[in-house]
Amino acid sequence: MLNKNLIDLGDLSSAQIDKLIRRAKKIMQSPADYRHACDGKILATLFYEPSTRTQMSFQTAMLKLGGRTIGFDNPMNSSVAKGESLKDTISIISLYADIIAIRHPVEGTAMAASLYSEVPLINCGDGGHLHPTQTLTDIVTLSCEKGRLDNLKIGVCGDLLNGRTVHSLIKTLSKYENNSFVLISTPELSVPLYVIDILEKNNCKYEFSNSLADAVSDLDMLYMTRIQRERFKSEEDYEAQKNVFVLDKEKLSRAREDMIILHPLPRVNEITVDIDDDPRALYFKQAQYGMYGRMALILMLLQDDEFMIDSAKPELSGHRCKNPRCVTQTEEYLPNYCYEKLGMEMCHYCDKRID
Amino acid sequence: MLNKNLIDLGDLSSAQIDKLIRRAKKIMQSPADYRHACDGKILATLFYEPSTRTQMSFQTAMLKLGGRTIGFDNPMNSSVAKGESLKDTISIISLYADIIAIRHPVEGTAMAASLYSEVPLINCGDGGHLHPTQTLTDIVTLSCEKGRLDNLKIGVCGDLLNGRTVHSLIKTLSKYENNSFVLISTPELSVPLYVIDILEKNNCKYEFSNSLADAVSDLDMLYMTRIQRERFKSEEDYEAQKNVFVLDKEKLSRAREDMIILHPLPRVNEITVDIDDDPRALYFKQAQYGMYGRMALILMLLQDDEFMIDSAKPELSGHRCKNPRCVTQTEEYLPNYCYEKLGMEMCHYCDKRID
Amino acid sequence: MLNKNLIDLGDLSSAQIDKLIRRAKKIMQSPADYRHACDGKILATLFYEPSTRTQMSFQTAMLKLGGRTIGFDNPMNSSVAKGESLKDTISIISLYADIIAIRHPVEGTAMAASLYSEVPLINCGDGGHLHPTQTLTDIVTLSCEKGRLDNLKIGVCGDLLNGRTVHSLIKTLSKYENNSFVLISTPELSVPLYVIDILEKNNCKYEFSNSLADAVSDLDMLYMTRIQRERFKSEEDYEAQKNVFVLDKEKLSRAREDMIILHPLPRVNEITVDIDDDPRALYFKQAQYGMYGRMALILMLLQDDEFMIDSAKPELSGHRCKNPRCVTQTEEYLPNYCYEKLGMEMCHYCDKRID
């Protein structure tokens, strides 16, 4: 079903991703050429939970294109506090704005919102589910800094169980030729099975590691994520491993000179501050690449008629999704939309199995 | 007393309302002609209580005219939290901005603020008192969709006792030729006597109804409002009537094909979601008409020297207004301004009788 | 050490201050000439504590220069709530924005932030420490209204002990020829010794007064500040003096016709409202002068390559600053930067002595 909404980066073809990256690079090279590209257009940033970084990145992207922004960052200041449905809010905002960027703590909200939007809509994070523009940020950075998205040896480190940015990155990069992965974590925080399935299906090489120091020596890119004390079984487990997954000067000294370090931010203490000035530390510059990636995305959605996104056509299920974190639990009017996958009914909104 | 502040829609002549509507239509027809109309101008949106819809509507209106906006939507983040008076805030903001839109939970605040503003000021709601741009929204919608503001049979339904938007709409439409009204509510939530007085004075036909299903069949416009469970005397009363005032497919099937449905929003459950796609359901489009109405209003106030609003000249009363919800209770420096009506002294700010 | 950050007004030379004032006056005279001066530029306003007035002043200044703004006014809505360090926030924002205005409740934060900013940064208040653009506001007002910054007799009244704006104003004006000061306060709220030191060092005449009524009669400028009930030793002390430091019509009648009254705002009750319309009352207009001063400052920092600010080059201390309100207490990665003054090590961030 062709549309203009970016809910899931997986809905984009490789050709579309390449187009986005090429456009992002063109904007970087001559930003002045794009300063009036979106004159008179309005972006609404609807942030039902705070995320200054993502919101400012989108606002800056739109302003640098000549457009303007409206929106909110605090649900308590919005009509939502009066019990307004998502449908009503989106129905109206999409009559004010030319494009919408939405973030919400509930899974599937962006997809649900897109059903009622008259204008292109971008998912800026729906709970623990998807956050496509973070992955877009990651691959724009990779492409600009390594010159390619294939033939890469990629380490991902930290909380691989709960880190949606890691899952999305693996899913995206596994489609490119000859990428291999080193999955660095405790056994308890290892990637979920469905991610292994993706790797297997795409014939990607992968290995497990519980030592960042060992794994770091032969990587093209190291993707660090937050590891949280409370994820460990006991304080002893945490104490035993807390330094194993912290990237510091000593471990970095074992890495190749051309390895790059990314991080979705905010970091807590998994990268020591004394590394920040190392030329391989790209996690701040990554945020800037993300801004250019978002400029490219806004442009494609607003102005490129050929840039249509092909997402699964929903069908009606006889059952309601039972995922307690799914938007169908709170927005009652939503149809029981589903799609089929391996003979199972999957929720159109949160991608969990409906049983 | 001629000025440039829209505090009460009743201060506008019919000619001025017509001018606003005509201008709103022109903007709709060729928005590009107005894209630079307010270049370099700044609108301050001072929202002392949250109202995302109204605030975004004004912000969008100004942005689409080429202007820019400053403001706040959270009194706790403002100097107000430090105990600053309304007078001081307005005195300064009106030196920054070219036009002010203010919303405040206390009655009469917009009028009080206008005393100290150096620039045009628009009332975006002062407690339960007035909300002129909502009514402007309603009549722009009516004029565009029905082609006239007279010779209409209008149903208003829900909480007619407390709904200030209903009172203001009736007051405005009763000045036009040959409009008639059907007042649909429980006896407990019927319109206040002063509204009946207005209808009588203007020789408007009106009738009461306690059945939406019966009343809906012969209307040009149905204006729905929220009806709140707690307004009923008992849970039994609510249960007995809760469906009587909900517009659903069945009731809508009795309505004329050219009837239009409006609602000031947000709705709770007084209109079922399955009606939203009916062509008669205009409550979302109404929000868009409101944006155009606000664009017209901003233009008139900023650029049309002949568009002067004639509000009652205040006189000094010997007494202080005793309305506990009036701005005079909290802003002590305000003069005891009043005006005379039927031999009584009325408060210049909240329009309640001073006795 | 030459840079583009305004942390402390004391880092500016008199020539630079004069240049700022001259530019502010030029902007006032022909604002249209500057309407596109900052086209395409973005100001980030990072307000870690609310200050509507200062934030709106900066936003308006940037908008009137043709630029645009991003930012936040509520730390709870920002990544800070997730424990992100100041360094990380600034590292990223300075890749989005062309100039940063920061306010923070912790002393030394602006200086700390400037270490990690790639773009010019302006201190909008760091706890009780510095607030250079308030003093800029004061002297632009003085220069415009009195035509000079020297040969002035200046009264400062209220809480002279805790009022950082008073200290900064005295420090700045004491560098100009032949200014004299009347310090009007209770003995308990008298200026701290270091301010007296500054007056002595610059050979400024000064006198103490505990009567506003007496002192007011021979001033060129009276600078009023908030005096807080809780600053008095006892309720009796407060009652005895509460009217002594309130400027009212009676006291103002003793002042010269050409005296001007300033106030950093917000006021509570130290100036009675019935004075507001007196032509000598300039505290509202002062806010407007401040906006022009900020426009001049933004222009200088963004566009005048010769306008370099010369701040002390930091050296590494062997000790950590012990001021519990210093940014070094919360941002652990900050180097122990210091500078020498009279043989003592002073903290580079909060200017307190490191011992």
Side-chain angles (χ1 to χ4, degrees):
Chain A
M1 197 183 59
L2 294 178
N3 61 73
K4 278 286 193 181
N5 308 307
L6 182 62
I7 309 302
D8 182 344
L9 202 68
D11 291 339
L12 296 184
S13 67
S14 292
Q16 286 177 313
I17 286 181
D18 290 349
K19 201 170 181 182
L20 273 176
I21 293 174
R22 280 200 312 275
R23 181 58 59 96
K25 287 178 181 171
K26 276 185 91 169
I27 299 173
M28 275 176 238
Q29 282 155 15
S30 46
D33 291 354
Y34 293 86
R35 247 176 63 186
H36 297 287
C38 291
D39 270 7
K41 298 294 182 190
I42 292 176
L43 165 73
T45 57
L46 310 185
F47 275 56
Y48 289 81
E49 67 176 1
S51 178
T52 323
R53 172 116 49 258
T54 305
Q55 191 174 17
M56 279 188 166
S57 180
F58 269 103
Q59 288 172 341
T60 308
M62 191 55 166
L63 293 177
K64 283 182 185 285
L65 291 168
R68 296 168 188 214
T69 69
I70 57 172
F72 56 80
D73 61 2
N74 187 342
M76 286 306 94
N77 286 2
S78 77
S79 301
V80 184
K82 298 182 193 165
E84 185 172 75
S85 72
L86 180 73
K87 179 184 181 185
D88 286 12
T89 301
I90 298 295
S91 296
I92 291 158
I93 300 291
S94 77
L95 296 173
Y96 293 167
D98 299 289
I99 184 167
I100 293 174
I102 186 172
R103 186 188 187 94
H104 201 287
V106 172
E107 298 177 13
T109 300
M111 176 58 87
S114 72
L115 297 180
Y116 306 108
S117 177
E118 306 282 331
V119 300
L121 183 144
I122 300 168
N123 183 6
C124 300
D126 58 333
H129 183 223
L130 295 167
H131 188 5
T133 63
Q134 177 62 52
T135 305
L136 178 63
T137 294
D138 301 338
I139 59 175
V140 169
T141 308
L142 256 183
S143 177
C144 290
E145 293 287 337
K146 301 303 293 182
R148 65 188 192 275
L149 295 178
D150 50 21
N151 290 289
L152 293 166
K153 186 165 187 182
I154 294 150
V156 291
C157 176
D159 182 350
L160 308 187
L161 180 61
N162 304 289
R164 67 179 168 187
T165 57
V166 168
H167 306 166
S168 177
L169 182 66
I170 292 176
K171 197 173 152 190
T172 302
L173 289 178
S174 66
K175 294 178 189 164
Y176 290 81
E177 289 275 306
N178 201 33
N179 286 328
S180 64
F181 296 87
V182 187
L183 310 168
I184 311 158
S185 72
T186 61
E188 291 81 10
L189 294 179
S190 187
V191 291
L193 273 181
Y194 91 91
V195 174
I196 299 294
D197 282 349
I198 290 169
L199 289 166
E200 294 278 356
K201 215 182 72 186
N202 289 288
N203 294 312
C204 287
K205 278 186 275 184
Y206 63 94
E207 56 190 284
F208 298 94
S209 169
N210 62 5
S211 166
L212 176 54
D214 292 346
V216 77
S217 60
D218 188 34
L219 298 174
D220 292 300
M221 190 260 275
L222 172 62
Y223 197 85
M224 294 294 296
T225 65
R226 258 177 301 172
I227 183 161
Q228 290 149 325
R229 184 184 290 221
E230 63 271 27
R231 300 290 191 187
F232 285 82
K233 279 188 178 164
S234 68
E235 187 66 21
E236 290 78 53
D237 283 9
Y238 174 70
E239 288 298 323
Q241 302 219 16
K242 70 174 177 183
N243 289 317
V244 175
F245 301 109
V246 171
L247 183 65
D248 55 22
K249 277 209 155 170
E250 201 279 316
K251 291 195 196 86
L252 185 56
S253 70
R254 304 172 178 218
R256 298 211 317 257
E257 283 305 308
D258 65 348
M259 185 190 80
I260 62 172
I261 310 163
L262 303 197
H263 191 301
L265 302 179
R267 71 167 156 184
V268 182
N269 60 354
E270 56 281 355
I271 300 177
T272 59
V273 178
D274 56 5
I275 284 177
D276 291 356
D277 293 327
D278 192 290
R280 291 167 287 190
L282 288 179
Y283 29 91
F284 297 140
K285 197 170 178 194
Q286 181 184 1
Q288 196 178 28
Y289 283 124
M291 185 190 71
Y292 288 114
R294 289 176 176 114
M295 290 174 78
L297 177 63
I298 291 171
L299 270 180
M300 291 288 152
L301 293 178
L302 280 181
Q303 296 182 345
D304 186 340
D305 290 343
E306 292 175 14
F307 194 87
M308 297 303 293
I309 297 176
D310 192 7
S311 57
K313 189 173 160 57
E315 292 171 30
L316 267 178
S317 166
H319 303 91
R320 191 78 172 168
C321 177
K322 291 203 180 65
N323 173 8
R325 293 186 304 276
C326 177
V327 66
T328 53
Q329 301 299 310
T330 45
E331 306 285 330
E332 296 172 9
Y333 53 85
L334 288 173
N336 290 342
Y337 279 158
C338 69
Y339 61 93
E340 206 210 272
K341 185 176 160 187
L342 305 174
M344 295 181 296
E345 278 193 340
M346 310 297 287
C347 175
H348 183 58
Y349 308 98
C350 74
D351 293 309
K352 297 288 181 304
R353 186 178 167 179
I354 303 177
D355 56 7
Chain B
M1 197 182 58
L2 294 178
N3 60 74
K4 278 286 194 181
N5 307 308
L6 182 62
I7 310 301
D8 182 343
L9 202 68
D11 292 339
L12 296 185
S13 67
S14 291
Q16 286 178 311
I17 287 181
D18 289 350
K19 202 171 181 180
L20 273 175
I21 294 174
R22 278 200 312 276
R23 180 58 61 96
K25 287 177 182 173
K26 275 184 92 169
I27 299 174
M28 273 175 240
Q29 281 155 16
S30 47
D33 291 353
Y34 293 86
R35 247 176 63 185
H36 297 288
C38 291
D39 270 7
K41 298 295 181 189
I42 292 177
L43 165 73
T45 56
L46 311 184
F47 275 56
Y48 288 81
E49 68 176 0
S51 177
T52 323
R53 171 118 48 259
T54 305
Q55 191 174 18
M56 278 188 166
S57 180
F58 269 103
Q59 288 172 340
T60 308
M62 191 56 166
L63 293 177
K64 283 182 185 285
L65 291 168
R68 297 171 188 211
T69 69
I70 57 172
F72 56 80
D73 61 2
N74 187 341
M76 287 304 95
N77 286 2
S78 78
S79 301
V80 184
K82 298 183 193 165
E84 185 172 74
S85 72
L86 179 74
K87 179 184 181 185
D88 286 12
T89 301
I90 297 296
S91 296
I92 291 159
I93 300 291
S94 78
L95 295 173
Y96 293 167
D98 300 288
I99 184 167
I100 292 175
I102 186 172
R103 186 188 187 95
H104 201 286
V106 172
E107 297 176 14
T109 300
M111 176 58 88
S114 73
L115 298 179
Y116 306 109
S117 178
E118 306 281 331
V119 299
L121 183 144
I122 300 169
N123 184 5
C124 301
D126 57 334
H129 182 222
L130 295 167
H131 189 4
T133 62
Q134 177 62 51
T135 306
L136 178 63
T137 293
D138 301 338
I139 60 176
V140 169
T141 308
L142 256 183
S143 176
C144 289
E145 293 287 336
K146 302 301 295 181
R148 64 185 193 278
L149 295 179
D150 51 19
N151 290 289
L152 293 167
K153 186 165 187 182
I154 295 150
V156 291
C157 175
D159 182 351
L160 308 187
L161 180 62
N162 304 289
R164 67 179 169 188
T165 57
V166 168
H167 305 168
S168 176
L169 183 65
I170 291 175
K171 200 173 151 188
T172 303
L173 288 178
S174 66
K175 293 178 189 163
Y176 290 81
E177 289 275 306
N178 200 32
N179 285 329
S180 65
F181 297 87
V182 186
L183 310 167
I184 310 158
S185 73
T186 62
E188 291 80 11
L189 294 178
S190 187
V191 290
L193 274 180
Y194 91 90
V195 174
I196 299 293
D197 282 348
I198 290 170
L199 289 167
E200 295 278 355
K201 216 182 70 185
N202 289 288
N203 294 313
C204 287
K205 277 186 276 184
Y206 63 95
E207 56 190 285
F208 297 95
S209 168
N210 63 4
S211 166
L212 176 55
D214 292 346
V216 78
S217 61
D218 189 34
L219 299 174
D220 292 300
M221 190 261 273
L222 171 63
Y223 197 85
M224 295 295 295
T225 64
R226 256 178 301 171
I227 183 161
Q228 290 151 325
R229 184 185 291 222
E230 62 272 25
R231 299 291 191 189
F232 285 82
K233 280 189 178 162
S234 68
E235 186 66 20
E236 290 79 52
D237 282 8
Y238 174 70
E239 288 298 323
Q241 301 219 16
K242 72 173 177 183
N243 289 317
V244 176
F245 301 109
V246 170
L247 183 65
D248 56 20
K249 277 209 155 170
E250 200 280 316
K251 292 196 195 85
L252 185 56
S253 70
R254 304 173 177 218
R256 298 211 316 257
E257 283 305 308
D258 65 348
M259 185 189 81
I260 62 172
I261 311 162
L262 303 196
H263 190 302
L265 303 178
R267 72 167 155 184
V268 182
N269 59 355
E270 57 281 356
I271 300 176
T272 59
V273 178
D274 56 5
I275 283 176
D276 292 355
D277 293 328
D278 191 290
R280 290 168 286 189
L282 289 179
Y283 28 91
F284 296 140
K285 197 170 178 196
Q286 181 185 1
Q288 196 178 28
Y289 283 123
M291 184 190 71
Y292 288 114
R294 288 175 177 116
M295 289 173 77
L297 177 63
I298 291 171
L299 270 180
M300 291 290 153
L301 293 178
L302 279 181
Q303 296 183 345
D304 186 340
D305 291 342
E306 292 176 13
F307 194 87
M308 297 302 293
I309 297 176
D310 193 6
S311 57
K313 188 173 160 60
E315 292 171 29
L316 267 178
S317 167
H319 304 91
R320 192 76 172 169
C321 177
K322 290 203 180 67
N323 172 10
R325 291 186 305 276
C326 177
V327 65
T328 52
Q329 301 297 312
T330 46
E331 305 285 331
E332 297 172 8
Y333 51 85
L334 287 174
N336 290 343
Y337 280 158
C338 69
Y339 61 93
E340 206 212 270
K341 185 176 159 186
L342 304 175
M344 296 179 296
E345 278 194 339
M346 312 297 287
C347 175
H348 183 57
Y349 308 98
C350 74
D351 294 309
K352 296 289 181 303
R353 185 179 167 178
I354 303 177
D355 57 7
Chain C
M1 197 183 60
L2 294 178
N3 60 73
K4 278 286 193 181
N5 308 307
L6 182 62
I7 309 302
D8 182 344
L9 203 68
D11 291 339
L12 296 185
S13 67
S14 292
Q16 286 178 312
I17 287 181
D18 290 350
K19 202 171 181 181
L20 273 176
I21 293 174
R22 279 201 312 275
R23 180 58 60 95
K25 287 178 181 172
K26 275 184 90 168
I27 299 173
M28 275 176 239
Q29 281 154 16
S30 46
D33 290 355
Y34 294 86
R35 246 176 64 185
H36 298 287
C38 291
D39 270 7
K41 299 294 181 190
I42 292 176
L43 164 73
T45 57
L46 310 185
F47 275 56
Y48 289 81
E49 67 176 1
S51 177
T52 323
R53 171 118 48 258
T54 304
Q55 191 174 19
M56 279 188 166
S57 179
F58 269 104
Q59 289 172 340
T60 309
M62 191 54 166
L63 293 177
K64 283 183 185 286
L65 290 168
R68 297 169 188 212
T69 69
I70 57 172
F72 55 80
D73 60 2
N74 187 341
M76 286 306 94
N77 287 3
S78 78
S79 301
V80 184
K82 298 182 193 167
E84 185 173 74
S85 72
L86 180 72
K87 179 184 180 184
D88 286 13
T89 301
I90 298 295
S91 296
I92 291 159
I93 300 292
S94 77
L95 295 174
Y96 292 167
D98 299 289
I99 185 167
I100 293 175
I102 186 172
R103 186 187 187 94
H104 201 287
V106 172
E107 297 177 14
T109 301
M111 176 58 88
S114 73
L115 297 180
Y116 306 108
S117 178
E118 306 281 330
V119 299
L121 182 143
I122 300 168
N123 184 5
C124 301
D126 57 334
H129 183 223
L130 295 167
H131 189 5
T133 62
Q134 178 61 51
T135 306
L136 178 63
T137 293
D138 301 338
I139 59 176
V140 169
T141 308
L142 256 183
S143 177
C144 289
E145 293 287 336
K146 302 302 294 182
R148 64 187 193 277
L149 295 178
D150 51 20
N151 291 289
L152 293 167
K153 186 165 186 182
I154 295 150
V156 291
C157 176
D159 182 351
L160 307 187
L161 179 62
N162 304 290
R164 67 180 168 187
T165 58
V166 168
H167 306 167
S168 177
L169 182 65
I170 292 176
K171 198 172 151 189
T172 303
L173 288 178
S174 66
K175 293 178 188 164
Y176 290 81
E177 289 275 308
N178 201 32
N179 285 330
S180 65
F181 296 87
V182 187
L183 311 167
I184 311 158
S185 73
T186 61
E188 292 81 11
L189 294 179
S190 186
V191 290
L193 274 181
Y194 91 91
V195 174
I196 299 295
D197 283 348
I198 290 170
L199 289 167
E200 295 279 356
K201 216 181 70 187
N202 290 288
N203 294 313
C204 287
K205 276 186 277 184
Y206 64 94
E207 56 190 284
F208 296 94
S209 168
N210 62 3
S211 166
L212 177 56
D214 292 346
V216 78
S217 60
D218 188 33
L219 298 174
D220 292 301
M221 190 261 273
L222 171 63
Y223 197 85
M224 295 294 296
T225 64
R226 257 177 300 171
I227 183 160
Q228 289 149 325
R229 183 185 291 222
E230 62 271 26
R231 299 289 191 190
F232 285 82
K233 279 186 179 165
S234 69
E235 187 66 21
E236 290 79 53
D237 283 9
Y238 174 70
E239 288 298 323
Q241 301 219 15
K242 71 173 176 184
N243 289 318
V244 176
F245 300 108
V246 171
L247 183 65
D248 55 21
K249 276 209 155 172
E250 200 279 316
K251 293 195 195 86
L252 186 56
S253 70
R254 304 173 177 219
R256 297 210 317 257
E257 283 305 308
D258 65 346
M259 185 189 79
I260 61 173
I261 310 162
L262 303 196
H263 190 302
L265 302 180
R267 72 168 155 183
V268 182
N269 59 354
E270 57 280 355
I271 299 176
T272 58
V273 179
D274 55 6
I275 284 176
D276 292 357
D277 293 328
D278 191 290
R280 291 167 286 189
L282 289 178
Y283 28 91
F284 296 139
K285 197 169 178 196
Q286 181 184 1
Q288 196 178 29
Y289 283 124
M291 184 190 72
Y292 287 114
R294 289 175 177 114
M295 289 173 78
L297 177 64
I298 291 170
L299 270 180
M300 291 289 153
L301 294 178
L302 280 181
Q303 296 182 346
D304 186 340
D305 290 342
E306 291 175 14
F307 194 87
M308 297 302 293
I309 297 176
D310 193 6
S311 57
K313 189 174 160 56
E315 293 172 29
L316 267 179
S317 166
H319 303 91
R320 192 77 172 169
C321 178
K322 291 203 180 66
N323 172 10
R325 293 185 305 277
C326 177
V327 65
T328 53
Q329 301 298 311
T330 45
E331 305 285 330
E332 297 171 7
Y333 52 85
L334 287 173
N336 290 342
Y337 279 159
C338 69
Y339 61 92
E340 206 211 271
K341 185 176 159 186
L342 305 174
M344 295 179 296
E345 278 194 340
M346 310 297 287
C347 176
H348 182 58
Y349 308 99
C350 73
D351 293 309
K352 296 290 181 303
R353 185 178 168 180
I354 303 177
D355 57 5

